[in-house]
């Protein structure tokens, strides 16, 4: 049971502590509401830098922030680490792995997860990069496989351990491909002199006609050039049809041997049971009106990646990015605090993607850039967006260190040991 | 198979990359030997600070160092991440989880592990603190249980989640008890205002008449006072007889409810199969002569915690501490490099234990200290003993931060996700 005390205030239950839910809780924390924030992890994670954790460039702790620390001074905020099982809109309650919680207002901010398009092989055998545990798994898999490669004299078998396939040329796929290419160039020759780094192939397979489809054509082509210069093998208009754990198959009959296939080809809303079917739009998103109210409900809202708000400017909903999540939660907080009904209006500040050392692309409202200045901008924006002063300092130090030494020092395979009591409950 | 190239040089196989094995490999790395360093982890760990990782005060990466990074420039050092299964002294080979490796010289430096004195309940249900995975498990268990406690209105059941029993009053038990007491005082009231921190009991149960038996009586009694002031419940001359996962039983009939029992009551040598029975001394240690040669063998050496070298000064062998491991490996390296047979002579620089903020005890050869200066000394010695300049900077920054804010910011429950390929192999 969730053991939430009674309160004279309205109870707002928030599902999810990502950009949208975390920001909303922060804004409402000092107001006259009782906030219950539910997440399956006890931290807020900064998703845009997960790929750097996977590449051993940053520590997990630098890009996440403990929820209890964030709300230390807010006695009306109750944090519960639990999985949400279903929403009961009539009974105004949510069922969780820890029991039932009643709400006056419910905010669904559970975000999106990897979309495998129903393919069980992709789901079971490829690696995602949507959460911290997944990024640590990828880190361990890369390092484990390099160790195995050392002891594999057979050429073909060895390629399976060292080659990597990234499916999907969006921001995640592009940034990861760039980081892997730099690992191939700067780290492998030093750490694994027994391996021939020229054997390491990084494949970026993309279904569309250009990478970074969400950005301008200029950004796409610049990023494409940067990646090719780093040695990434980009294949456009190519469709991955299957993966058996050893070989990736494509529609045109290619087979690539790789034990690590990173699936960055799409996202879908985290499923919420109990809501009527008609509120769900394409991509598992939940239809909301301009106030972020879920269609047909007055007391249930959806914000961030999970929300599907169609209007004239965005007939297919807003892009599923941090900026939308932050702005929607800001608007919703404003409406709660001021008791207003101000419709949401998205202000696009532009988008950025980094490819590697000194290389990034930026589409700003009035300017498109590529190269060193765009890279500095990327660093600055990401640094300032991190939660917590200490995180900013530690990330800045790590980046400076890695930049100066052409090295990362976090290449350790770490897994927690088993604890019986913990596994029992 | 281990895939080690042939070499004109003698092959020295080192089992274990702890203080002894790591230091020996470093000293011999640029000499005319082929070194094969085998460890089950791909990093060297700084054991004295494992408890701070468990207490969310330090990041794992700050106290460990990737082996491949340490030996980047040494082409004649081959690192293999494997478990050693047995030694075949006649065939001059070692069997590992990855295959057979032949040696000209073998160095056993596999250290010691927790001694459960044959009690399966202790072994299966208590928590150790001898490796990084164990320290992360303890961290996760503490944080998980605090979350559970919040949702446990029943007083008795709740105590099981929040009370902690430490068995063993040596340096590990004492330092851990102090750190837990500070967490109780500074963190729990802020992070878990819904809990009553006065309910949190930290038990330190010790079989002997005083804690820190390896140090002076002055150090013992000072440390005892420091801990009691912090609220730790110390019980001396008390023997723990059983643990069922819920209750700890003691010889005098006490039962303490605790889901977390930390076993710091003794160590035993990591078992090595294949050597004759007569080389093993008490505590699972391997008998060596004054040159660290295993009794009866010319080409097999044991150094560090696993080595049992009895002489007039140390009739029961040397203390199992980092200093002995470092000095033995230094002496062995000297003998290898200079082709000498200089017997090992231990120089005791003293010992230190910290209890918490501004509190430590120090037994130096000519001086015994307790309090602030001893604490500064402890900080300095541990900082300078860390491998790697970056680690020193990051630990210093973390300590400074924690000291100023009365806080640690690493209170996140992190577990890597499952990866199918990885689990298969």
């Amino acid at each position: 049971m969730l053991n939430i005390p009674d309160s004279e205030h309205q109870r707002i239950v928030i599902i999810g502590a990502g950009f949208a839910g975390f920001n909303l809780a922060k804004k409402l924390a000092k107001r006259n509401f009782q906030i219950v924030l539910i997440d399956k992890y006890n931290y807020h994670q900064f998703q845009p830098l997960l790929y750097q954790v996977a590449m051993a460039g940053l520590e997990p702790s630098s890009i996440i922030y403990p929820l209890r620390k964030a709300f230390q001074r807010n006695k009306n905020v109750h944090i519960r680490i639990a999985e949400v099982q279903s929403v009961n809109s009539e009974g105004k309650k949510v069922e969780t792995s820890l029991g039932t919680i009643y709400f006056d207002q419910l905010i669904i901010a559970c975000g999106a997860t990897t979309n495998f398009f129903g393919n069980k092989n992709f789901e079971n055998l490829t690696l995602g990069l949507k959460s911290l545990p997944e990024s640590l798994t990828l880190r361990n898999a890369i390092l484990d496989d390099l160790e195995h490669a050392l002891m594999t004299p057979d050429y073909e078998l060895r390629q399976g351990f060292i080659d990597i396939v990234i499916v999907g040329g969006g921001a995640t796929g592009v940034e990861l491909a760039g980081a892997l290419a730099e690992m191939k160039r700067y780290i492998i020759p030093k750490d694994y002199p027994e391996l021939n780094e020229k054997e390491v192939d990084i494949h970026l397979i993309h279904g569309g006609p250009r990478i970074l489809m969400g950005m301008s054509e200029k950004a796409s082509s610049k990023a494409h050039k940067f990646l090719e210069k780093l040695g990434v093998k980009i294949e456009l208009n190519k469709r991955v049809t299957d993966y058996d754990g050893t070989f990736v198959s494509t529609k045109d009959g290619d087979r690539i041997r790789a034990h690590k296939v990173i699936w960055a080809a799409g996202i879908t809303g985290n499923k919420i049971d109990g809501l009527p079917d008609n509120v769900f739009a394409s991509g598992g998103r939940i239809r909301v009106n301009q106030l972020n109210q879920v269609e047909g409900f007055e007391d249930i809202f959806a914000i961030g990646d999970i929300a599907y708000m169609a209007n004239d400017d965005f007939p297919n909903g807003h892009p599923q990015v941090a900026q939308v999540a932050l702005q929607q939660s800001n608007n919703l907080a404003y409406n709660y605090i001021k008791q207003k009904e101000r419709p949401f209006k998205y202000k696009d500040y532009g988008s950025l993607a980094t490819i590697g050392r000194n290389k990034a692309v930026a589409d700003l409202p009035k300017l498109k850039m590529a190269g060193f200045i765009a890279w500095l901008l990327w660093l600055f924006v990401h640094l300032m967006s991190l939660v917590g002063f200490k995180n900013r300092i530690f990330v800045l130090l790590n980046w400076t260190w890695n930049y100066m030494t052409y090295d990362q020092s976090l290449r350790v395979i770490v897994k927690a040991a088993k604890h019986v009591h913990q596994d029992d409950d």
Side-chain angles (χ1 to χ4, degrees), chain A:
Chain A
M1 56 167 266
L2 282 160
N3 203 23
I4 306 289
D6 288 331
S7 160
E8 52 180 319
H9 301 304
Q10 273 206 73
R11 179 182 292 169
I12 302 181
V13 172
I14 303 174
I15 302 175
F19 286 115
F22 183 81
N23 187 49
L24 181 67
K26 267 281 167 205
K27 299 266 169 190
L28 299 180
K30 283 174 191 153
R31 306 294 175 152
N32 291 327
F33 301 103
Q34 185 187 51
I35 308 289
V36 179
L37 181 59
I38 303 175
D39 199 287
K40 60 180 160 173
Y41 303 119
N42 76 339
Y43 48 83
H44 166 72
Q45 64 186 9
F46 189 72
Q47 285 199 21
L49 292 178
L50 281 178
Y51 84 96
Q52 294 205 358
V53 172
M55 299 309 302
L58 289 177
E59 265 312 318
S61 61
S62 309
I63 66 152
I64 60 187
Y65 201 84
L67 294 179
R68 297 204 175 275
K69 187 167 161 65
F71 296 98
Q72 267 181 354
R73 287 179 184 82
N74 309 116
K75 298 234 168 191
N76 59 333
V77 177
H78 302 272
I79 294 152
R80 291 295 179 268
I81 310 307
E83 303 229 17
V84 169
Q85 288 156 345
S86 66
V87 170
N88 179 327
S89 55
E90 278 186 27
K92 294 194 86 166
K93 60 185 178 179
V94 175
E95 302 295 340
T96 80
S97 53
L98 296 172
T100 305
I101 173 92
Y102 289 86
F103 61 81
D104 294 309
Q105 308 274 317
L106 176 66
I107 319 292
I108 301 173
C110 53
T113 187
T114 313
N115 189 357
F116 297 102
F117 304 101
N119 184 315
K120 283 284 163 199
N121 280 351
F122 295 154
E123 186 170 343
N124 294 329
L125 299 172
T126 70
L127 295 148
L129 200 60
K130 287 294 288 177
S131 71
L132 186 67
E134 284 180 348
S135 69
L136 286 173
T137 301
L138 177 55
R139 184 199 283 196
N140 287 342
I142 292 171
L143 297 170
D144 271 333
D145 281 359
L146 284 169
E147 294 295 336
H148 279 101
L150 278 183
M151 285 164 293
T152 308
D154 181 88
Y155 177 85
E156 275 301 321
L157 292 176
R158 190 165 64 241
Q159 306 315 301
F161 286 116
I162 55 180
D163 291 354
I164 296 184
V165 174
I166 303 167
V167 185
T172 302
V174 164
E175 298 195 325
L176 193 58
L180 282 165
E182 298 213 317
M183 185 185 240
K184 169 184 170 178
R185 174 181 288 193
Y186 299 118
I187 306 298
I188 290 180
K190 282 191 288 189
D191 268 22
Y192 301 89
E194 299 167 71
L195 283 179
N196 176 1
E197 82 269 14
K198 294 197 187 74
E199 286 184 6
V200 178
D201 292 324
I202 299 150
H203 300 271
L204 180 62
I205 300 180
H206 185 58
R210 61 180 176 94
I211 58 172
L212 295 179
M213 298 270 275
M215 294 183 72
S216 65
E217 290 207 25
K218 187 187 167 192
S220 286
S221 77
K222 271 286 181 186
H224 195 110
K225 269 182 208 147
F226 287 153
L227 284 177
E228 287 204 321
K229 217 173 158 186
L230 283 170
V232 175
K233 302 190 174 206
I234 308 177
E235 306 210 51
L236 300 174
N237 297 310
K238 193 158 186 150
R239 204 158 285 281
V240 170
T241 49
D242 205 2
Y243 179 54
D244 62 7
T246 307
F247 287 98
V248 177
S249 316
T250 64
K251 206 177 172 186
D252 43 8
D254 275 7
R255 274 158 61 88
I256 305 167
R257 185 173 211 130
H259 291 320
K260 290 177 296 304
V261 175
I262 296 148
W263 193 259
I267 58 174
T268 183
N270 270 310
K271 198 154 169 17
I272 287 275
D273 283 338
L275 291 174
D277 286 346
N278 68 300
V279 305
F280 289 99
S282 64
R285 294 167 86 177
I286 297 174
R287 287 177 209 281
V288 296
N289 64 17
Q290 308 302 308
L291 301 174
N292 280 98
Q293 276 168 319
V294 175
E295 240 178 50
F297 299 95
E298 287 217 330
D299 305 326
I300 306 182
F301 297 77
I303 51 177
D305 283 0
I306 190 81
Y308 181 86
M309 184 192 291
N311 58 28
D312 291 346
D313 294 339
F314 296 93
N316 300 312
H318 294 88
Q320 286 163 292
V321 297
Q323 270 305 315
V324 172
L326 291 170
Q327 291 181 33
Q328 284 186 347
S329 54
N330 281 339
N331 191 62
L332 186 56
Y334 174 90
N335 284 341
Y336 268 118
I337 293 165
K338 304 276 186 190
Q339 308 251 26
K340 292 274 171 69
E341 297 205 333
R342 184 176 74 179
F344 173 67
K345 185 126 187 59
Y346 178 49
K347 182 155 173 37
D348 185 359
Y349 293 106
S351 37
L352 295 159
T354 185
I355 285 87
R357 256 182 117 71
N358 306 337
K359 293 188 197 72
V361 291
D363 286 346
L364 305 184
K366 297 189 176 172
L367 181 68
K368 304 201 189 316
M369 290 192 294
F372 183 67
I373 303 292
W375 180 73
L376 285 182
L377 183 67
W378 183 93
L379 292 176
F380 178 77
V381 167
H382 283 77
L383 205 57
M384 296 319 291
S385 307
L386 279 165
V387 176
F389 179 64
K390 189 185 169 199
N391 280 358
R392 285 181 211 150
I393 290 186
F394 275 70
V395 168
L396 180 61
L397 270 171
N398 261 307
W399 282 349
T400 310
W401 191 275
N402 298 347
Y403 188 77
M404 292 191 314
T405 60
Y406 288 78
D407 205 350
Q408 311 110 0
S409 53
L410 309 175
R411 293 187 300 281
V412 287
I413 304 167
V414 172
K415 298 157 187 165
K418 242 182 118 153
H419 177 37
V420 172
H421 167 67
Q422 194 177 319
D423 293 333
D424 281 344
D425 57 32

